[in-house]
């Protein structure tokens, strides 16, 4: 037999026996049990103003090509499923009898218990986030926060930073019997991921909640590393390269 030696920097080198055939370039195909199995059931938390429309289109194409079953808003013109509140059965179209849901890709507020009662046990959980300052600018632009808060149009972020807590308090105060359940300018991404506004200052709760999200989610995409995130997505989901091809959606420039 033929021997090769691996020097591990020790007094006694490890010896590995190989046969002459080991020098060939033949690739041994993995068994069926070793092959990566494509994951086709997932819930994507489409965080607001975090670039989520681009991966949503990727996920929708993936589902359409495989004839998968989507969770769809009860109103055809809606882009939300229950948001800004927790999902309720009346917020989405009922599933086809005997056919469980495969995909959820619309704006929702994540809630572990509700999602798991709606989706099958083998569902993978995904989300997307972005750098907070760029997220704040996107939110202020899209939701006209400067007008809502009475901020300077030329420098709305600077104007907001002068007294953010008071501006938030005024906006979140109940008006005409309705109290907005989230803040445009404080922890908006966290709200979509299920963190209640009332507990946004509780460090212990936040630490525990983030740890739970880490256990719940297979992957959280990062907008600033979108290509790298898609490569990780492909590997984690056992998809093909063609499954992650994308066209950028909804890119905007700001004057502030």
């Amino acid at each position: 037999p033929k021997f090769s030696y691996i020097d591990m920097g020790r007094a006694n080198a490890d010896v590995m026996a190989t046969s002459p055939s080991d020098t060939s370039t033949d690739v041994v195909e993995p068994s069926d049990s070793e092959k990566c199995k494509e994951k086709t059931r997932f819930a994507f938390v489409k965080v607001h103003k975090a670039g989520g429309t681009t991966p949503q289109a990727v996920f929708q194409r993936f589902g359409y090509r495989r004839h998968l079953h989507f969770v769809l808003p009860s109103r055809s013109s809606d882009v939300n499923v229950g948001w800004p509140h927790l999902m309720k059965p009346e917020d989405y179209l009922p599933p086809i009898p005997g056919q469980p849901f495969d995909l959820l890709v619309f704006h929702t507020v994540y809630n572990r218990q509700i999602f798991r009662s709606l989706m099958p046990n083998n569902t993978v959980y995904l989300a997307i986030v972005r750098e907070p300052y760029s997220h704040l600018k996107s939110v202020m632009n899209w939701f006209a926060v400067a007008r809502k808060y009475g901020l300077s149009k030329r420098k709305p972020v600077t104007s907001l930073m002068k007294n953010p807590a008071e501006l938030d308090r005024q906006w979140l105060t109940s008006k005409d019997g309705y109290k907005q359940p989230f803040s445009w300018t404080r922890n908006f991404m966290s709200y979509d991921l299920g963190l209640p506004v009332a507990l946004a200052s509780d460090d212990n709760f936040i630490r525990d909640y983030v740890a739970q999200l880490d256990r719940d989610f297979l992957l959280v995409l990062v907008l600033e590393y979108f290509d790298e995130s898609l490569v990780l997505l492909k590997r984690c989901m056992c998809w093909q390269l063609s499954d992650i091809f994308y066209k950028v959606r909804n890119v905007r420039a700001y004057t502030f």
Side-chain angles (χ1 to χ4, degrees):
K2 185 177 180 180
F3 294 89
S4 62
Y5 295 84
I6 300 179
D7 182 6
M8 302 297 291
R10 299 173 180 173
N12 297 319
D14 293 327
V15 180
M16 297 184 65
T18 65
S19 66
S21 62
D22 289 333
T23 61
S24 70
T25 58
D26 293 340
V27 176
V28 178
E29 289 292 331
S31 65
D32 290 340
S33 61
E34 294 173 325
K35 290 180 180 178
C36 189
K37 186 177 181 180
E38 180 183 81
K39 296 178 176 63
T40 58
R41 281 183 173 159
F42 55 91
F44 172 59
V45 179
K46 187 174 182 278
V47 172
H48 282 82
K49 313 317 298 175
T53 302
T54 299
Q56 180 191 42
V58 170
F59 298 147
Q60 288 174 324
R61 181 187 64 210
F62 180 91
Y64 294 153
R65 286 180 173 177
R66 289 161 176 79
H67 306 288
L68 301 178
H69 302 281
F70 288 78
V71 178
L72 297 175
S74 54
R75 294 181 299 177
S76 60
S77 60
D78 208 340
V79 296
N80 306 314
V81 180
W83 190 93
H85 306 287
L86 297 177
M87 276 193 298
K88 303 182 295 297
E90 56 265 33
D91 295 324
Y92 52 87
L93 298 177
I96 298 173
Q99 299 289 334
F101 288 123
D102 297 307
L103 278 70
L104 170 58
V105 298
F106 290 89
H107 287 304
T108 55
V109 177
Y110 177 68
N111 177 278
R112 192 171 191 271
Q113 182 177 354
I114 292 175
F115 272 56
R116 277 157 178 72
S117 65
L118 177 66
M119 303 298 293
N121 292 334
N122 62 344
T123 299
V124 170
Y125 292 87
L126 309 167
I128 187 169
V129 295
R130 72 185 293 183
E131 184 272 324
Y133 182 67
S134 64
H135 178 260
L136 175 62
K137 291 175 65 176
S138 181
V139 168
M140 296 187 76
N141 177 74
W142 179 257
F143 293 105
V145 172
R147 177 178 56 80
K148 289 181 172 73
Y149 281 31
L151 305 174
S152 165
K153 292 182 179 180
R154 293 183 64 250
K155 296 183 178 181
V157 177
T158 302
S159 182
L160 172 71
M161 290 299 103
K162 291 179 180 179
N163 200 352
E166 177 60 21
L167 289 168
D168 250 1
R169 187 193 67 77
Q170 293 177 14
W171 187 253
L172 295 175
T173 300
S174 179
K175 299 175 182 177
D176 300 324
Y178 175 77
K179 183 177 181 180
Q180 182 170 292
F182 65 94
S183 165
W184 301 112
T185 58
R186 187 184 185 206
N187 298 324
F188 195 2
M189 289 189 285
S190 300
Y191 177 79
D192 282 353
L193 287 165
L195 180 68
V197 172
L199 295 173
S201 298
D202 188 328
D203 291 345
N204 290 329
F205 178 85
I206 292 172
R207 189 179 301 108
D208 292 342
Y209 191 76
V210 171
Q212 183 62 58
L213 290 178
D214 189 43
R215 292 189 291 269
D216 290 351
F217 284 75
L218 174 69
L219 180 67
V220 175
L221 288 71
V222 179
L223 180 59
E224 287 73 20
Y225 295 94
F226 190 67
D227 289 343
E228 294 88 341
S229 295
L230 287 183
V231 171
L232 285 175
L233 176 73
K234 172 184 174 295
R235 294 177 179 177
C236 291
M237 302 292 281
C238 302
W239 288 2
Q240 301 299 314
L241 181 62
S242 58
D243 292 326
I244 61 170
F245 290 165
Y246 71 93
K247 180 180 180 180
V248 177
R249 305 291 184 94
N250 294 353
V251 176
R252 293 177 175 83
Y254 318 119
T255 57
F256 55 87

